[in-house]
Amino acid sequence: MARLANLETEYPVLDSTVRNFCASHGIFSAAFAEQNDSSERLKEGIAQVLSIIDDMHQPWLNGMELLEDAKRNKHVFPTGIQGIDLLLGDGIRVGQLTELVGPSSSGKTQVCLRTASNVARNHMVLYLDTGNSFSPQCIAYFLGKTISPSSAQAKNQFLQKVMSNISCHSVFDIFAMFDVLHQLESYLRCQDGRGCCQMRLLIVDSISSLISPVLGSSSTLGRALMTSAGYLLKKLAHQHNLAVLIINHTVGGEGGSSKPALGDSWKCIPHSRLFLSCDRGSNTYNVSILRHPSMASVKAARFVI
Amino acid sequence: MGSHAKAWLVEDESAREMLDRVLTERPFLLLPPLHRVPLRVGNVVELAGPSSSSKTHILIQAAITCILPKLWKGVSYGGLGHSAMFIDLDCRFDVLRFSELLNHRIMEAANGSSSKVGCHQKDSEAQFARMKPYNEELFALCMKRFLYIRCYDSSEFLATLKTLHYRLQKEREVHGVNVHLLLIDSIGAFHWVDRGSSSFPLEYDNRKSWHLQNVSEAAVQEIRRLLLVHPMLVMATKAVVLGNKYSTNELTWNYRKWSAVDNPYSRNITSDQQLPYREYMPAAWQSFVTHRILVRATDDDLVNGEHQNNSIYLLEWLLPPLNSLDKFTVRDTGVFILS
């Protein structure tokens, strides 16, 4: 919250009379203004200070406006995998964080690549890779499976177009991820509404390898970083209409079962959580719901990639 | 002078009249599943529970009850007809789910009234088709009474609270409806971020540093000031981590309850015992709360037809301490009390 003196250059109505009045009431910064005055000039000054504070928070919306925004912008993207689409209710939703949890080799990266190949047909995708698991060959394979047979040149052109919609960044620690996300935020702020091909999917593979190193058992800074990362992702998802897909690992829980990593403070961040596991020696994967915004009727499914 | 003094002594209204007036202007709220204790404006209710224990759902339920009118075009909806404000600190609110629940409540009330008249199946369908434009109009009216804001950090939250008074005044002027309910989803959402940022000192000495305690005190102070001018019921959720001794097995719950009842002296001790979860909110917030509730999900499911599997939740009142456990489940039409 800025000091009133510093705001005078931007808002000339906050001249010395207003500041003296505020100082007489013990108000030194924009945060403590109160409606307690008699003159017009003071009223203007107070109104100006209030509008400055009003800009510091998100706008108030009523239910109808929220609903309109949800219907217009917050679409659902099918992942291309029937079992997962069934569980999630048609696919991953724009504006929400969907988390895939599972032990290693349980198909999490495959699901992400499949979803990326699906969404990249019409929109841009950003893939944040922490473990060099991004594979263009996989994407080409998934695309090859679904497009209709045509000339090799047309196929090639199509592949080129879709692949150019996916950008992959390698990040190896949480501060690099913050950098990339802040750059993305400023890029999207300029881009919003313009252009036909907009970014609609953000994949973080995997967020646990970025957060676990900073998350000690009793450190507050680690958890603060984790929560800030979660909120930055939520802000990007809601304000710029992105669907966010994050991957998390498992750790040993009580009684030998495995539970999602990153602890209890992370539980409140994603909107939906899916638990993936692989049947030994077969191609089928199991997926079950850990958390879903609405009461899902189907709780578990199987799929093959 | 004498007549002025005498005017002071003339009574305004009798106690009975005052009670009537207060009860109509500020009614008691009995919202399931919080129906055991009547809630009034000025109460601050804290719903604590682990993640995924339907706390947000209870808030949404309260909001829907608040925004529905009492009586509209001959159909009784049993609501309060006031506005509700929702401050989303968790940023996980799903408006599509909210509108679904509101629609279900409206249709249930409409169908309920038509079935009371005792009409035939065909008649009720025709009536339903006739009621559809009314339902949409009522839906739009109710949705406009629901005010929503998201906050991505504590400074946005404080800025919202500080400008809330003017916002409420504007609402009163524009819509002529009062705000009766203030809902805060996850009051402890920025706990770790605020704790972490207290290690970064700000530039000037005469300003307060950004401490967890300071943020909490400022928030509580703002809400208190607001309640003086705009009487509202405040409901906040809080995510907690339950200790290990709170197993999800209901038998151990009942055993704890019975052993307390058997020995009247031990009952006093158990009511003073520490809370079943670790309290992390600062003292300013803790002393502000007037009612405290704990909700948990059990492992049991209520089988409701072939496709519906609804989880059963347990609710316990911690403040005022009632020795009772309510079981409820969540359905499309709302919360359904089981026992």
Side-chain angles (χ1 to χ4, degrees):
Chain A
M1 315 245 181
R3 286 174 75 94
L4 286 175
N6 296 346
L7 287 173
E8 189 182 351
T9 44
E10 268 181 60
Y11 303 99
V13 84
L14 296 174
D15 63 357
S16 47
T17 21
V18 177
R19 277 187 284 133
N20 281 338
F21 166 75
C22 291
S24 67
H25 289 255
I27 303 167
F28 289 103
S29 68
F32 297 94
E34 283 174 46
Q35 188 87 324
N36 194 7
D37 63 286
S38 49
S39 90
E40 268 310 308
R41 193 111 178 101
L42 284 177
K43 272 202 177 123
E44 265 185 49
I46 301 281
Q48 183 63 275
V49 170
L50 276 174
S51 71
I52 296 172
I53 307 181
D54 243 339
D55 284 336
M56 287 186 192
H57 62 75
Q58 306 293 324
W60 280 93
L61 298 167
N62 68 32
M64 286 308 284
E65 291 165 4
L66 262 186
L67 196 60
E68 256 184 56
D69 170 67
K71 286 191 178 153
R72 203 174 350 126
N73 297 328
K74 309 285 194 273
H75 308 298
V76 173
F77 286 120
T79 58
I81 302 171
Q82 224 179 1
I84 294 193
D85 285 341
L86 188 66
L87 242 55
L88 287 175
D90 297 334
I92 54 173
R93 188 172 273 285
V94 168
Q96 291 192 356
L97 264 65
T98 310
E99 184 185 0
L100 298 174
V101 184
S104 48
S105 293
S106 51
K108 309 187 290 288
T109 307
Q110 296 288 313
V111 172
C112 285
L113 292 172
R114 187 69 197 265
T115 315
S117 68
N118 230 19
V119 176
R121 286 157 191 264
N122 301 315
H123 307 280
M124 292 179 50
V125 176
L126 178 62
Y127 197 103
L128 294 184
D129 193 5
T130 64
N132 297 329
S133 44
F134 181 73
S135 156
Q137 290 89 345
C138 262
I139 304 237
Y141 169 70
F142 288 138
L143 286 171
K145 269 207 304 187
T146 50
I147 57 177
S148 51
S150 50
S151 72
Q153 200 193 17
K155 252 189 193 166
N156 235 354
Q157 266 184 339
F158 175 71
L159 266 177
Q160 290 266 8
K161 179 182 111 158
V162 176
M163 293 294 237
S164 64
N165 276 345
I166 306 181
S167 42
C168 177
H169 284 246
S170 287
V171 288
F172 298 111
D173 61 74
I174 192 166
F175 302 105
M177 182 184 77
F178 271 115
D179 265 341
V180 172
L181 289 180
H182 285 306
Q183 278 175 21
L184 178 68
E185 197 180 357
S186 18
Y187 168 76
L188 287 174
R189 227 179 280 156
C190 313
Q191 279 294 88
D192 263 342
R194 261 195 275 154
C196 48
C197 200
Q198 306 231 318
M199 181 162 299
R200 285 288 173 254
L201 180 60
L202 170 64
I203 300 180
V204 185
D205 180 5
S206 59
I207 203 153
S208 44
S209 43
L210 296 176
I211 295 181
S212 311
V214 294
L215 202 64
S217 59
S218 55
S219 117
T220 51
L221 280 179
R223 277 184 235 209
L225 277 173
M226 176 173 78
T227 318
S228 318
Y231 273 89
L232 184 54
L233 287 170
K234 282 201 246 203
K235 191 175 186 178
L236 281 170
H238 184 82
Q239 287 184 333
H240 302 286
N241 300 322
L242 295 179
V244 181
L245 200 53
I246 36 189
I247 290 193
N248 195 4
H249 289 118
T250 52
V251 290
E254 43 204 43
S257 65
S258 48
K259 61 174 185 173
L262 303 181
D264 288 314
S265 328
W266 177 255
K267 274 191 193 167
C268 325
I269 309 251
H271 290 86
S272 330
R273 304 179 97 196
L274 296 178
F275 192 93
L276 271 70
S277 59
C278 177
D279 281 346
R280 290 214 167 260
S282 90
N283 248 354
T284 27
Y285 298 89
N286 296 318
V287 59
S288 58
I289 293 193
L290 287 180
R291 194 212 151 85
H292 193 84
S294 37
M295 309 297 138
S297 45
V298 186
K299 290 275 170 82
R302 302 166 74 87
F303 63 93
V304 182
I305 297 197
Chain B
M1 189 67 170
S3 57
H4 284 297
K6 275 209 186 130
W8 275 91
L9 293 173
V10 172
E11 64 189 38
D12 284 333
E13 54 184 2
S14 69
R16 190 203 180 90
E17 286 166 10
M18 181 188 156
L19 197 60
D20 277 340
R21 175 175 63 87
V22 167
L23 284 177
T24 40
E25 283 177 14
R26 302 183 180 193
F28 284 106
L29 274 178
L30 290 165
L31 310 156
L34 310 175
H35 50 282
R36 286 201 188 259
V37 177
L39 301 168
R40 301 193 59 214
V41 289
N43 287 144
V44 179
V45 182
E46 185 191 78
L47 282 163
S51 153
S52 248
S53 51
S54 79
K55 310 185 287 292
T56 310
H57 202 99
I58 298 180
L59 286 191
I60 291 182
Q61 184 79 354
I64 292 181
T65 310
C66 183
I67 58 182
L68 280 174
K70 203 167 197 140
L71 196 67
W72 200 72
K73 307 225 168 152
V75 183
S76 146
Y77 292 96
L80 296 171
H82 289 298
S83 295
M85 297 193 120
F86 194 99
I87 304 184
D88 196 359
L89 302 182
D90 231 7
C91 306
R92 283 196 299 183
F93 183 72
D94 190 4
V95 70
L96 293 171
R97 176 85 186 139
F98 181 79
S99 61
E100 250 180 56
L101 292 170
L102 180 61
N103 259 328
H104 274 115
R105 275 286 284 273
I106 292 179
M107 287 202 300
E108 187 197 20
N111 287 345
S113 73
S114 66
S115 65
K116 271 191 201 130
V117 181
C119 34
H120 208 248
Q121 169 70 6
K122 247 196 294 184
D123 281 349
S124 71
E125 274 175 10
Q127 190 164 34
F128 183 70
R130 245 186 320 197
M131 308 250 331
K132 197 157 180 292
Y134 283 153
N135 285 346
E136 280 171 9
E137 196 189 328
L138 178 62
F139 178 77
L141 178 71
C142 290
M143 285 298 259
K144 290 212 174 82
R145 287 202 203 132
F146 179 74
L147 303 165
Y148 174 85
I149 193 173
R150 299 188 145 208
C151 296
Y152 292 108
D153 55 51
S154 289
S155 55
E156 285 189 17
F157 180 44
L158 285 179
T160 310
L161 288 178
K162 284 180 193 289
T163 50
L164 200 50
H165 170 60
Y166 301 98
R167 183 77 205 191
L168 290 176
Q169 269 187 337
K170 220 175 17 164
E171 281 299 310
R172 202 182 278 173
E173 283 161 21
V174 169
H175 291 128
V177 193
N178 282 329
V179 173
H180 191 85
L181 204 54
L182 179 65
L183 306 164
I184 304 178
D185 198 359
S186 223
I187 188 81
F190 306 124
H191 172 81
W192 289 110
V193 181
D194 290 335
R195 254 177 94 165
S197 61
S198 64
S199 47
F200 304 132
L202 290 178
E203 320 91 62
Y204 305 105
D205 293 84
N206 59 348
R207 292 182 61 179
K208 290 195 204 158
S209 57
W210 196 259
H211 257 284
L212 181 65
Q213 269 77 14
N214 291 343
V215 170
S216 198
E217 275 167 23
V220 166
Q221 199 183 35
E222 288 302 323
I223 302 180
R224 245 189 219 162
R225 272 198 226 149
L226 205 61
L227 288 180
L228 286 175
V229 192
H230 301 272
M232 298 183 286
L233 171 63
V234 181
M235 291 175 70
T237 60
K238 188 174 77 172
V240 294
V241 177
L242 289 181
N244 272 336
K245 64 179 180 182
Y246 255 55
S247 64
T248 47
N249 190 354
E250 206 202 304
L251 286 174
T252 45
W253 268 83
N254 281 335
Y255 177 70
R256 201 178 69 95
K257 190 174 62 156
W258 292 331
S259 64
V261 167
D262 278 345
N263 187 352
Y265 299 110
S266 78
R267 182 152 40 139
N268 283 337
I269 299 172
T270 45
S271 64
D272 288 338
Q273 78 183 357
Q274 56 187 343
L275 295 166
Y277 53 85
R278 198 174 71 82
E279 179 65 70
Y280 59 83
M281 291 299 292
W285 172 259
Q286 285 185 48
S287 51
F288 184 50
V289 169
T290 58
H291 292 74
R292 217 171 257 135
I293 299 165
L294 180 67
V295 251
R296 292 155 58 242
T298 57
D299 287 334
D300 309 319
D301 276 354
L302 182 71
V303 181
N304 188 16
E306 5 176 303
H307 294 295
Q308 288 272 352
N309 245 349
N310 297 8
S311 312
I312 301 184
Y313 301 96
L314 286 176
L315 184 147
E316 189 188 7
W317 280 87
L318 297 174
L319 182 75
L322 305 171
N323 269 335
S324 65
L325 277 171
D326 290 317
K327 267 203 254 182
F328 67 93
T329 182
V330 166
R331 283 205 198 135
D332 278 340
T333 43
V335 166
F336 188 68
I337 313 283
L338 291 175
S339 68

